[in-house]
Amino acid sequence: MASFNKVILLGNLTRDPEVRYTPKGSAVCDLGLAVNRVYTLDNGEKREEVTYVDVTLWSRLAEIAGEYLKKGSQVYIEGSLKTHSWDDKTSGQKKYMTEIWVNDLVLLGGRGEGSGGGDFKESSRGASASSGGGNNFDQRTPEPEHATAGSGPITDEDIPF
């Protein structure tokens, strides 16, 4: 039976990104994303609910997020679900956490709002400007321990806008 693992979200960061590096030198950035849903009840009353999602970016996307995003920045992401499990040391119970591993990132808003409006896709060379148009249905899992070519400090020339 075929399966498909793709998530598309547009929301706001709940905290400033913090980039860290694995022992092999790959950048990783964990973000909190708030996604709002507004709906109307039968009596006409409007309600809003917020869903909080854990998001992980790797390699060049992690570095870009660390430099150009801040709490409150609006972003569009595409990625896949990844579930981790572990045994809780205090209770001994099995715990689970599901997060999004990002393949594509679009920074929305202006530079003054902590994001630059660029469109980035994960590739074997790190993040590169999207060519626009078609969909990216690449279901490969990112290689978190692989240092990408061209890694280094992010400069204004790296951002395509």
Side-chain angles (χ1 to χ4, degrees), residues 51-102:
T51 301
Y52 298 97
V53 181
D54 293 317
V55 176
T56 301
L57 298 100
W58 291 94
S59 304
R60 190 78 172 110
L61 290 180
E63 293 172 340
I64 289 168
E67 184 161 340
Y68 291 96
L69 297 177
K70 66 180 180 182
K71 181 179 179 178
S73 296
Q74 189 174 46
V75 295
Y76 167 92
I77 64 161
E78 292 184 25
S80 56
L81 293 172
K82 178 79 171 163
T83 302
H84 306 281
S85 65
W86 68 95
D87 294 324
D88 186 1
K89 292 180 181 176
T90 57
S91 68
Q93 292 181 327
K94 191 132 189 121
K95 300 281 185 170
Y96 298 90
M97 181 180 99
T98 300
E99 62 185 345
I100 312 299
W101 277 25
V102 176

mmCIF file of all heavy atoms in Angstrom, residues 51-102:
data_model
loop_
_atom_site.group_PDB
_atom_site.id
_atom_site.type_symbol
_atom_site.label_atom_id
_atom_site.label_comp_id
_atom_site.label_asym_id
_atom_site.label_seq_id
_atom_site.Cartn_x
_atom_site.Cartn_y
_atom_site.Cartn_z
ATOM 1 N N THR A 51 -2.886 26.012 17.267
ATOM 2 C CA THR A 51 -2.180 24.745 17.380
ATOM 3 C C THR A 51 -0.692 25.052 17.380
ATOM 4 O O THR A 51 -0.209 25.809 16.536
ATOM 5 C CB THR A 51 -2.527 23.817 16.197
ATOM 6 O OG1 THR A 51 -3.928 23.586 16.194
ATOM 7 C CG2 THR A 51 -1.782 22.500 16.306
ATOM 8 N N TYR A 52 0.024 24.480 18.339
ATOM 9 C CA TYR A 52 1.467 24.684 18.446
ATOM 10 C C TYR A 52 2.175 23.447 17.900
ATOM 11 O O TYR A 52 1.843 22.328 18.254
ATOM 12 C CB TYR A 52 1.865 24.938 19.903
ATOM 13 C CG TYR A 52 1.216 26.178 20.448
ATOM 14 C CD1 TYR A 52 0.056 26.106 21.208
ATOM 15 C CD2 TYR A 52 1.752 27.433 20.182
ATOM 16 C CE1 TYR A 52 -0.547 27.257 21.699
ATOM 17 C CE2 TYR A 52 1.165 28.589 20.667
ATOM 18 C CZ TYR A 52 0.012 28.489 21.427
ATOM 19 O OH TYR A 52 -0.583 29.636 21.899
ATOM 20 N N VAL A 53 3.149 23.694 17.020
ATOM 21 C CA VAL A 53 3.834 22.608 16.331
ATOM 22 C C VAL A 53 5.341 22.767 16.524
ATOM 23 O O VAL A 53 5.871 23.875 16.414
ATOM 24 C CB VAL A 53 3.501 22.639 14.816
ATOM 25 C CG1 VAL A 53 4.178 21.501 14.081
ATOM 26 C CG2 VAL A 53 2.006 22.626 14.593
ATOM 27 N N ASP A 54 6.025 21.661 16.812
ATOM 28 C CA ASP A 54 7.483 21.654 16.890
ATOM 29 C C ASP A 54 8.041 21.413 15.491
ATOM 30 O O ASP A 54 7.585 20.526 14.772
ATOM 31 C CB ASP A 54 7.980 20.557 17.833
ATOM 32 C CG ASP A 54 7.603 20.826 19.272
ATOM 33 O OD1 ASP A 54 7.742 21.988 19.706
ATOM 34 O OD2 ASP A 54 7.159 19.891 19.962
ATOM 35 N N VAL A 55 9.039 22.222 15.109
ATOM 36 C CA VAL A 55 9.609 22.189 13.769
ATOM 37 C C VAL A 55 11.124 22.096 13.881
ATOM 38 O O VAL A 55 11.724 22.766 14.719
ATOM 39 C CB VAL A 55 9.216 23.481 13.003
ATOM 40 C CG1 VAL A 55 9.874 23.530 11.649
ATOM 41 C CG2 VAL A 55 7.707 23.592 12.887
ATOM 42 N N THR A 56 11.754 21.271 13.039
ATOM 43 C CA THR A 56 13.205 21.139 13.016
ATOM 44 C C THR A 56 13.729 21.406 11.613
ATOM 45 O O THR A 56 13.201 20.877 10.638
ATOM 46 C CB THR A 56 13.641 19.731 13.472
ATOM 47 O OG1 THR A 56 13.159 19.508 14.799
ATOM 48 C CG2 THR A 56 15.155 19.594 13.460
ATOM 49 N N LEU A 57 14.748 22.250 11.542
ATOM 50 C CA LEU A 57 15.416 22.549 10.275
ATOM 51 C C LEU A 57 16.855 22.077 10.390
ATOM 52 O O LEU A 57 17.461 22.167 11.460
ATOM 53 C CB LEU A 57 15.398 24.047 9.994
ATOM 54 C CG LEU A 57 14.019 24.677 9.847
ATOM 55 C CD1 LEU A 57 13.628 25.375 11.120
ATOM 56 C CD2 LEU A 57 14.013 25.642 8.707
ATOM 57 N N TRP A 58 17.410 21.605 9.272
ATOM 58 C CA TRP A 58 18.775 21.092 9.243
ATOM 59 C C TRP A 58 19.616 21.863 8.230
ATOM 60 O O TRP A 58 19.104 22.464 7.298
ATOM 61 C CB TRP A 58 18.786 19.618 8.852
ATOM 62 C CG TRP A 58 18.202 18.718 9.887
ATOM 63 C CD1 TRP A 58 16.914 18.281 9.946
ATOM 64 C CD2 TRP A 58 18.865 18.161 11.010
ATOM 65 N NE1 TRP A 58 16.744 17.478 11.037
ATOM 66 C CE2 TRP A 58 17.926 17.386 11.713
ATOM 67 C CE3 TRP A 58 20.171 18.232 11.493
ATOM 68 C CZ2 TRP A 58 18.242 16.683 12.867
ATOM 69 C CZ3 TRP A 58 20.484 17.527 12.640
ATOM 70 C CH2 TRP A 58 19.531 16.767 13.316
ATOM 71 N N SER A 59 20.905 21.807 8.403
ATOM 72 C CA SER A 59 21.907 22.315 7.457
ATOM 73 C C SER A 59 21.686 23.792 7.153
ATOM 74 O O SER A 59 21.556 24.599 8.046
ATOM 75 C CB SER A 59 21.908 21.477 6.172
ATOM 76 O OG SER A 59 22.132 20.123 6.482
ATOM 77 N N ARG A 60 21.662 24.129 5.886
ATOM 78 C CA ARG A 60 21.584 25.526 5.472
ATOM 79 C C ARG A 60 20.276 26.189 5.889
ATOM 80 O O ARG A 60 20.251 27.372 6.232
ATOM 81 C CB ARG A 60 21.766 25.579 3.951
ATOM 82 C CG ARG A 60 21.947 26.954 3.424
ATOM 83 C CD ARG A 60 23.390 27.418 3.679
ATOM 84 N NE ARG A 60 23.584 28.674 2.993
ATOM 85 C CZ ARG A 60 23.726 29.837 3.626
ATOM 86 N NH1 ARG A 60 23.735 29.877 4.937
ATOM 87 N NH2 ARG A 60 23.866 30.940 2.940
ATOM 88 N N LEU A 61 19.170 25.427 5.861
ATOM 89 C CA LEU A 61 17.892 26.000 6.294
ATOM 90 C C LEU A 61 17.952 26.416 7.760
ATOM 91 O O LEU A 61 17.387 27.443 8.143
ATOM 92 C CB LEU A 61 16.749 25.010 6.085
ATOM 93 C CG LEU A 61 16.353 24.720 4.640
ATOM 94 C CD1 LEU A 61 15.203 23.732 4.599
ATOM 95 C CD2 LEU A 61 15.988 25.993 3.911
ATOM 96 N N ALA A 62 18.632 25.648 8.592
ATOM 97 C CA ALA A 62 18.779 25.996 10.003
ATOM 98 C C ALA A 62 19.553 27.298 10.158
ATOM 99 O O ALA A 62 19.193 28.172 10.965
ATOM 100 C CB ALA A 62 19.478 24.868 10.761
ATOM 101 N N GLU A 63 20.619 27.457 9.392
ATOM 102 C CA GLU A 63 21.424 28.685 9.473
ATOM 103 C C GLU A 63 20.634 29.900 9.004
ATOM 104 O O GLU A 63 20.700 30.973 9.607
ATOM 105 C CB GLU A 63 22.698 28.519 8.647
ATOM 106 C CG GLU A 63 23.642 27.493 9.220
ATOM 107 C CD GLU A 63 24.825 27.179 8.311
ATOM 108 O OE1 GLU A 63 24.741 27.458 7.090
ATOM 109 O OE2 GLU A 63 25.819 26.658 8.827
ATOM 110 N N ILE A 64 19.870 29.741 7.940
ATOM 111 C CA ILE A 64 19.054 30.844 7.424
ATOM 112 C C ILE A 64 17.997 31.245 8.454
ATOM 113 O O ILE A 64 17.778 32.430 8.709
ATOM 114 C CB ILE A 64 18.417 30.451 6.077
ATOM 115 C CG1 ILE A 64 19.503 30.387 5.001
ATOM 116 C CG2 ILE A 64 17.312 31.433 5.676
ATOM 117 C CD1 ILE A 64 19.064 29.742 3.711
ATOM 118 N N ALA A 65 17.343 30.257 9.051
ATOM 119 C CA ALA A 65 16.335 30.550 10.071
ATOM 120 C C ALA A 65 16.960 31.306 11.245
ATOM 121 O O ALA A 65 16.393 32.272 11.756
ATOM 122 C CB ALA A 65 15.686 29.259 10.558
ATOM 123 N N GLY A 66 18.154 30.878 11.672
ATOM 124 C CA GLY A 66 18.823 31.531 12.791
ATOM 125 C C GLY A 66 19.183 32.980 12.509
ATOM 126 O O GLY A 66 19.158 33.821 13.408
ATOM 127 N N GLU A 67 19.504 33.279 11.267
ATOM 128 C CA GLU A 67 19.922 34.636 10.931
ATOM 129 C C GLU A 67 18.757 35.571 10.610
ATOM 130 O O GLU A 67 18.796 36.747 10.938
ATOM 131 C CB GLU A 67 20.894 34.619 9.760
ATOM 132 C CG GLU A 67 21.430 36.007 9.450
ATOM 133 C CD GLU A 67 22.700 35.992 8.628
ATOM 134 O OE1 GLU A 67 23.383 34.963 8.609
ATOM 135 O OE2 GLU A 67 22.976 37.023 8.010
ATOM 136 N N TYR A 68 17.715 35.066 9.965
ATOM 137 C CA TYR A 68 16.684 35.943 9.429
ATOM 138 C C TYR A 68 15.338 35.884 10.149
ATOM 139 O O TYR A 68 14.461 36.692 9.850
ATOM 140 C CB TYR A 68 16.480 35.654 7.944
ATOM 141 C CG TYR A 68 17.666 36.092 7.134
ATOM 142 C CD1 TYR A 68 18.659 35.183 6.781
ATOM 143 C CD2 TYR A 68 17.820 37.420 6.767
ATOM 144 C CE1 TYR A 68 19.766 35.582 6.064
ATOM 145 C CE2 TYR A 68 18.923 37.834 6.042
ATOM 146 C CZ TYR A 68 19.897 36.911 5.701
ATOM 147 O OH TYR A 68 20.995 37.321 4.992
ATOM 148 N N LEU A 69 15.145 34.940 11.052
ATOM 149 C CA LEU A 69 13.860 34.831 11.739
ATOM 150 C C LEU A 69 13.971 35.245 13.193
ATOM 151 O O LEU A 69 15.050 35.188 13.783
ATOM 152 C CB LEU A 69 13.328 33.395 11.652
ATOM 153 C CG LEU A 69 13.016 32.879 10.252
ATOM 154 C CD1 LEU A 69 12.582 31.424 10.322
ATOM 155 C CD2 LEU A 69 11.953 33.727 9.587
ATOM 156 N N LYS A 70 12.846 35.640 13.775
ATOM 157 C CA LYS A 70 12.760 35.938 15.200
ATOM 158 C C LYS A 70 11.346 35.630 15.656
ATOM 159 O O LYS A 70 10.457 35.364 14.841
ATOM 160 C CB LYS A 70 13.144 37.383 15.476
ATOM 161 C CG LYS A 70 12.198 38.406 14.888
ATOM 162 C CD LYS A 70 12.657 39.815 15.198
ATOM 163 C CE LYS A 70 11.679 40.821 14.603
ATOM 164 N NZ LYS A 70 12.089 42.191 14.829
ATOM 165 N N LYS A 71 11.139 35.673 16.951
ATOM 166 C CA LYS A 71 9.822 35.414 17.514
ATOM 167 C C LYS A 71 8.796 36.302 16.817
ATOM 168 O O LYS A 71 9.011 37.493 16.633
ATOM 169 C CB LYS A 71 9.836 35.697 19.017
ATOM 170 C CG LYS A 71 8.515 35.441 19.678
ATOM 171 C CD LYS A 71 8.582 35.714 21.163
ATOM 172 C CE LYS A 71 7.222 35.479 21.796
ATOM 173 N NZ LYS A 71 7.268 35.683 23.248
ATOM 174 N N GLY A 72 7.688 35.701 16.392
ATOM 175 C CA GLY A 72 6.628 36.432 15.712
ATOM 176 C C GLY A 72 6.726 36.413 14.208
ATOM 177 O O GLY A 72 5.761 36.729 13.516
ATOM 178 N N SER A 73 7.891 36.041 13.641
ATOM 179 C CA SER A 73 8.050 35.989 12.185
ATOM 180 C C SER A 73 7.062 35.002 11.588
ATOM 181 O O SER A 73 6.818 33.932 12.139
ATOM 182 C CB SER A 73 9.461 35.544 11.806
ATOM 183 O OG SER A 73 10.417 36.462 12.218
ATOM 184 N N GLN A 74 6.509 35.372 10.430
ATOM 185 C CA GLN A 74 5.602 34.477 9.738
ATOM 186 C C GLN A 74 6.390 33.670 8.716
ATOM 187 O O GLN A 74 7.204 34.227 7.976
ATOM 188 C CB GLN A 74 4.492 35.261 9.048
ATOM 189 C CG GLN A 74 3.401 34.372 8.506
ATOM 190 C CD GLN A 74 2.233 35.156 7.949
ATOM 191 O OE1 GLN A 74 2.422 36.116 7.216
ATOM 192 N NE2 GLN A 74 1.032 34.739 8.306
ATOM 193 N N VAL A 75 6.157 32.353 8.692
ATOM 194 C CA VAL A 75 6.852 31.468 7.761
ATOM 195 C C VAL A 75 5.878 30.458 7.164
ATOM 196 O O VAL A 75 4.868 30.097 7.766
ATOM 197 C CB VAL A 75 8.023 30.698 8.415
ATOM 198 C CG1 VAL A 75 9.117 31.623 8.862
ATOM 199 C CG2 VAL A 75 7.544 29.837 9.556
ATOM 200 N N TYR A 76 6.220 30.038 5.964
ATOM 201 C CA TYR A 76 5.529 28.947 5.285
ATOM 202 C C TYR A 76 6.527 27.810 5.225
ATOM 203 O O TYR A 76 7.673 28.003 4.814
ATOM 204 C CB TYR A 76 5.143 29.391 3.874
ATOM 205 C CG TYR A 76 4.690 28.276 2.960
ATOM 206 C CD1 TYR A 76 3.350 27.948 2.862
ATOM 207 C CD2 TYR A 76 5.609 27.575 2.187
ATOM 208 C CE1 TYR A 76 2.929 26.937 2.000
ATOM 209 C CE2 TYR A 76 5.198 26.568 1.325
ATOM 210 C CZ TYR A 76 3.861 26.252 1.247
ATOM 211 O OH TYR A 76 3.452 25.251 0.401
ATOM 212 N N ILE A 77 6.115 26.629 5.661
ATOM 213 C CA ILE A 77 7.020 25.479 5.627
ATOM 214 C C ILE A 77 6.348 24.290 4.949
ATOM 215 O O ILE A 77 5.133 24.147 4.985
ATOM 216 C CB ILE A 77 7.500 25.060 7.029
ATOM 217 C CG1 ILE A 77 6.344 24.594 7.891
ATOM 218 C CG2 ILE A 77 8.271 26.167 7.700
ATOM 219 C CD1 ILE A 77 6.742 23.780 9.072
ATOM 220 N N GLU A 78 7.183 23.479 4.335
ATOM 221 C CA GLU A 78 6.774 22.173 3.842
ATOM 222 C C GLU A 78 7.767 21.174 4.399
ATOM 223 O O GLU A 78 8.966 21.440 4.447
ATOM 224 C CB GLU A 78 6.785 22.114 2.317
ATOM 225 C CG GLU A 78 5.736 22.976 1.667
ATOM 226 C CD GLU A 78 5.709 22.833 0.158
ATOM 227 O OE1 GLU A 78 6.141 21.782 -0.361
ATOM 228 O OE2 GLU A 78 5.258 23.776 -0.495
ATOM 229 N N GLY A 79 7.270 20.045 4.835
ATOM 230 C CA GLY A 79 8.150 19.034 5.390
ATOM 231 C C GLY A 79 7.412 17.727 5.583
ATOM 232 O O GLY A 79 6.381 17.472 4.962
ATOM 233 N N SER A 80 7.946 16.905 6.474
ATOM 234 C CA SER A 80 7.343 15.612 6.761
ATOM 235 C C SER A 80 7.301 15.381 8.262
ATOM 236 O O SER A 80 8.071 15.968 9.023
ATOM 237 C CB SER A 80 8.125 14.494 6.070
ATOM 238 O OG SER A 80 9.478 14.539 6.460
ATOM 239 N N LEU A 81 6.382 14.535 8.687
ATOM 240 C CA LEU A 81 6.247 14.192 10.097
ATOM 241 C C LEU A 81 7.344 13.222 10.515
ATOM 242 O O LEU A 81 7.692 12.302 9.777
ATOM 243 C CB LEU A 81 4.891 13.528 10.361
ATOM 244 C CG LEU A 81 3.656 14.395 10.190
ATOM 245 C CD1 LEU A 81 2.404 13.538 10.298
ATOM 246 C CD2 LEU A 81 3.643 15.503 11.210
ATOM 247 N N LYS A 82 7.871 13.433 11.697
ATOM 248 C CA LYS A 82 8.899 12.556 12.270
ATOM 249 C C LYS A 82 8.528 12.342 13.734
ATOM 250 O O LYS A 82 8.336 13.311 14.482
ATOM 251 C CB LYS A 82 10.265 13.229 12.137
ATOM 252 C CG LYS A 82 11.400 12.460 12.712
ATOM 253 C CD LYS A 82 11.844 11.361 11.770
ATOM 254 C CE LYS A 82 13.126 10.750 12.299
ATOM 255 N NZ LYS A 82 13.400 9.481 11.711
ATOM 256 N N THR A 83 8.400 11.114 14.164
ATOM 257 C CA THR A 83 8.048 10.800 15.546
ATOM 258 C C THR A 83 9.227 10.164 16.259
ATOM 259 O O THR A 83 9.881 9.272 15.716
ATOM 260 C CB THR A 83 6.836 9.853 15.603
ATOM 261 O OG1 THR A 83 5.737 10.478 14.938
ATOM 262 C CG2 THR A 83 6.446 9.546 17.035
ATOM 263 N N HIS A 84 9.507 10.648 17.451
ATOM 264 C CA HIS A 84 10.572 10.117 18.305
ATOM 265 C C HIS A 84 9.936 9.483 19.539
ATOM 266 O O HIS A 84 8.889 9.937 20.006
ATOM 267 C CB HIS A 84 11.506 11.231 18.785
ATOM 268 C CG HIS A 84 12.080 12.051 17.688
ATOM 269 N ND1 HIS A 84 13.134 11.635 16.917
ATOM 270 C CD2 HIS A 84 11.744 13.279 17.217
ATOM 271 C CE1 HIS A 84 13.428 12.558 16.033
ATOM 272 N NE2 HIS A 84 12.593 13.569 16.184
ATOM 273 N N SER A 85 10.565 8.467 20.086
ATOM 274 C CA SER A 85 10.097 7.880 21.342
ATOM 275 C C SER A 85 11.279 7.672 22.273
ATOM 276 O O SER A 85 12.421 7.520 21.830
ATOM 277 C CB SER A 85 9.380 6.552 21.084
ATOM 278 O OG SER A 85 10.271 5.597 20.579
ATOM 279 N N TRP A 86 10.995 7.712 23.577
ATOM 280 C CA TRP A 86 12.010 7.500 24.592
ATOM 281 C C TRP A 86 11.325 7.051 25.871
ATOM 282 O O TRP A 86 10.109 7.172 26.018
ATOM 283 C CB TRP A 86 12.838 8.770 24.815
ATOM 284 C CG TRP A 86 12.069 9.899 25.445
ATOM 285 C CD1 TRP A 86 12.011 10.216 26.773
ATOM 286 C CD2 TRP A 86 11.235 10.848 24.789
ATOM 287 N NE1 TRP A 86 11.197 11.304 26.967
ATOM 288 C CE2 TRP A 86 10.719 11.713 25.768
ATOM 289 C CE3 TRP A 86 10.870 11.056 23.466
ATOM 290 C CZ2 TRP A 86 9.842 12.767 25.465
ATOM 291 C CZ3 TRP A 86 10.009 12.106 23.167
ATOM 292 C CH2 TRP A 86 9.514 12.939 24.152
ATOM 293 N N ASP A 87 12.108 6.502 26.784
ATOM 294 C CA ASP A 87 11.588 6.093 28.094
ATOM 295 C C ASP A 87 11.840 7.217 29.085
ATOM 296 O O ASP A 87 12.977 7.666 29.249
ATOM 297 C CB ASP A 87 12.266 4.806 28.574
ATOM 298 C CG ASP A 87 11.916 3.622 27.686
ATOM 299 O OD1 ASP A 87 10.764 3.562 27.213
ATOM 300 O OD2 ASP A 87 12.789 2.758 27.461
ATOM 301 N N ASP A 88 10.779 7.659 29.752
ATOM 302 C CA ASP A 88 10.892 8.717 30.749
ATOM 303 C C ASP A 88 11.678 8.182 31.941
ATOM 304 O O ASP A 88 11.349 7.131 32.497
ATOM 305 C CB ASP A 88 9.500 9.177 31.181
ATOM 306 C CG ASP A 88 9.529 10.374 32.101
ATOM 307 O OD1 ASP A 88 10.624 10.876 32.413
ATOM 308 O OD2 ASP A 88 8.438 10.813 32.521
ATOM 309 N N LYS A 89 12.730 8.899 32.328
ATOM 310 C CA LYS A 89 13.606 8.431 33.405
ATOM 311 C C LYS A 89 12.916 8.425 34.762
ATOM 312 O O LYS A 89 13.216 7.596 35.609
ATOM 313 C CB LYS A 89 14.863 9.295 33.463
ATOM 314 C CG LYS A 89 15.746 9.114 32.252
ATOM 315 C CD LYS A 89 16.978 9.972 32.315
ATOM 316 C CE LYS A 89 17.819 9.767 31.075
ATOM 317 N NZ LYS A 89 18.979 10.623 31.021
ATOM 318 N N THR A 90 11.980 9.343 34.991
ATOM 319 C CA THR A 90 11.329 9.410 36.303
ATOM 320 C C THR A 90 10.180 8.421 36.430
ATOM 321 O O THR A 90 10.046 7.761 37.450
ATOM 322 C CB THR A 90 10.809 10.836 36.587
ATOM 323 O OG1 THR A 90 9.918 11.229 35.547
ATOM 324 C CG2 THR A 90 11.957 11.816 36.676
ATOM 325 N N SER A 91 9.341 8.293 35.392
ATOM 326 C CA SER A 91 8.173 7.416 35.495
ATOM 327 C C SER A 91 8.376 6.063 34.831
ATOM 328 O O SER A 91 7.610 5.135 35.098
ATOM 329 C CB SER A 91 6.946 8.100 34.880
ATOM 330 O OG SER A 91 7.108 8.214 33.483
ATOM 331 N N GLY A 92 9.365 5.950 33.948
ATOM 332 C CA GLY A 92 9.594 4.713 33.227
ATOM 333 C C GLY A 92 8.633 4.512 32.062
ATOM 334 O O GLY A 92 8.695 3.501 31.378
ATOM 335 N N GLN A 93 7.724 5.466 31.841
ATOM 336 C CA GLN A 93 6.755 5.351 30.756
ATOM 337 C C GLN A 93 7.387 5.713 29.417
ATOM 338 O O GLN A 93 8.322 6.497 29.353
ATOM 339 C CB GLN A 93 5.562 6.281 30.991
ATOM 340 C CG GLN A 93 4.703 5.901 32.162
ATOM 341 C CD GLN A 93 3.533 6.870 32.306
ATOM 342 O OE1 GLN A 93 3.650 8.053 31.994
ATOM 343 N NE2 GLN A 93 2.415 6.360 32.796
ATOM 344 N N LYS A 94 6.839 5.119 28.365
ATOM 345 C CA LYS A 94 7.287 5.450 27.015
ATOM 346 C C LYS A 94 6.643 6.778 26.619
ATOM 347 O O LYS A 94 5.446 6.957 26.742
ATOM 348 C CB LYS A 94 6.883 4.358 26.039
ATOM 349 C CG LYS A 94 7.513 4.486 24.699
ATOM 350 C CD LYS A 94 8.086 3.138 24.315
ATOM 351 C CE LYS A 94 8.932 3.200 23.097
ATOM 352 N NZ LYS A 94 10.269 2.760 23.348
ATOM 353 N N LYS A 95 7.454 7.713 26.140
ATOM 354 C CA LYS A 95 6.979 9.032 25.716
ATOM 355 C C LYS A 95 7.185 9.164 24.215
ATOM 356 O O LYS A 95 8.109 8.592 23.647
ATOM 357 C CB LYS A 95 7.752 10.156 26.424
ATOM 358 C CG LYS A 95 7.634 10.141 27.931
ATOM 359 C CD LYS A 95 6.334 10.741 28.350
ATOM 360 C CE LYS A 95 6.284 10.827 29.860
ATOM 361 N NZ LYS A 95 5.175 11.592 30.334
ATOM 362 N N TYR A 96 6.340 9.969 23.586
ATOM 363 C CA TYR A 96 6.401 10.198 22.154
ATOM 364 C C TYR A 96 6.336 11.688 21.853
ATOM 365 O O TYR A 96 5.681 12.447 22.557
ATOM 366 C CB TYR A 96 5.233 9.517 21.430
ATOM 367 C CG TYR A 96 5.230 8.024 21.575
ATOM 368 C CD1 TYR A 96 4.560 7.415 22.627
ATOM 369 C CD2 TYR A 96 5.891 7.221 20.662
ATOM 370 C CE1 TYR A 96 4.550 6.038 22.766
ATOM 371 C CE2 TYR A 96 5.892 5.838 20.796
ATOM 372 C CZ TYR A 96 5.215 5.260 21.844
ATOM 373 O OH TYR A 96 5.218 3.905 21.978
ATOM 374 N N MET A 97 7.015 12.088 20.780
ATOM 375 C CA MET A 97 6.948 13.461 20.309
ATOM 376 C C MET A 97 6.945 13.423 18.786
ATOM 377 O O MET A 97 7.772 12.743 18.172
ATOM 378 C CB MET A 97 8.140 14.275 20.794
ATOM 379 C CG MET A 97 8.089 15.719 20.326
ATOM 380 S SD MET A 97 9.504 16.666 20.896
ATOM 381 C CE MET A 97 10.491 16.618 19.425
ATOM 382 N N THR A 98 6.003 14.141 18.178
ATOM 383 C CA THR A 98 5.948 14.248 16.729
ATOM 384 C C THR A 98 6.288 15.676 16.346
ATOM 385 O O THR A 98 5.791 16.627 16.947
ATOM 386 C CB THR A 98 4.551 13.865 16.203
ATOM 387 O OG1 THR A 98 4.267 12.522 16.591
ATOM 388 C CG2 THR A 98 4.488 13.972 14.690
ATOM 389 N N GLU A 99 7.163 15.821 15.361
ATOM 390 C CA GLU A 99 7.584 17.139 14.894
ATOM 391 C C GLU A 99 7.611 17.140 13.379
ATOM 392 O O GLU A 99 7.446 16.103 12.742
ATOM 393 C CB GLU A 99 8.958 17.506 15.457
ATOM 394 C CG GLU A 99 10.061 16.566 15.032
ATOM 395 C CD GLU A 99 11.398 16.853 15.686
ATOM 396 O OE1 GLU A 99 11.572 17.939 16.248
ATOM 397 O OE2 GLU A 99 12.265 15.990 15.629
ATOM 398 N N ILE A 100 7.835 18.313 12.820
ATOM 399 C CA ILE A 100 7.957 18.466 11.373
ATOM 400 C C ILE A 100 9.427 18.655 11.039
ATOM 401 O O ILE A 100 10.089 19.509 11.622
ATOM 402 C CB ILE A 100 7.183 19.708 10.864
ATOM 403 C CG1 ILE A 100 5.761 19.767 11.418
ATOM 404 C CG2 ILE A 100 7.221 19.771 9.343
ATOM 405 C CD1 ILE A 100 4.878 18.632 11.052
ATOM 406 N N TRP A 101 9.960 17.854 10.117
ATOM 407 C CA TRP A 101 11.305 18.074 9.577
ATOM 408 C C TRP A 101 11.123 18.825 8.273
ATOM 409 O O TRP A 101 10.505 18.319 7.336
ATOM 410 C CB TRP A 101 12.021 16.749 9.354
ATOM 411 C CG TRP A 101 12.664 16.218 10.594
ATOM 412 C CD1 TRP A 101 12.313 16.488 11.879
ATOM 413 C CD2 TRP A 101 13.774 15.329 10.674
ATOM 414 N NE1 TRP A 101 13.127 15.813 12.748
ATOM 415 C CE2 TRP A 101 14.039 15.098 12.025
ATOM 416 C CE3 TRP A 101 14.556 14.705 9.725
ATOM 417 C CZ2 TRP A 101 15.066 14.280 12.456
ATOM 418 C CZ3 TRP A 101 15.570 13.884 10.161
ATOM 419 C CH2 TRP A 101 15.823 13.678 11.501
ATOM 420 N N VAL A 102 11.645 20.033 8.209
ATOM 421 C CA VAL A 102 11.378 20.950 7.109
ATOM 422 C C VAL A 102 12.251 20.656 5.897
ATOM 423 O O VAL A 102 13.466 20.496 6.023
ATOM 424 C CB VAL A 102 11.587 22.410 7.580
ATOM 425 C CG1 VAL A 102 11.409 23.386 6.434
ATOM 426 C CG2 VAL A 102 10.629 22.736 8.721
#
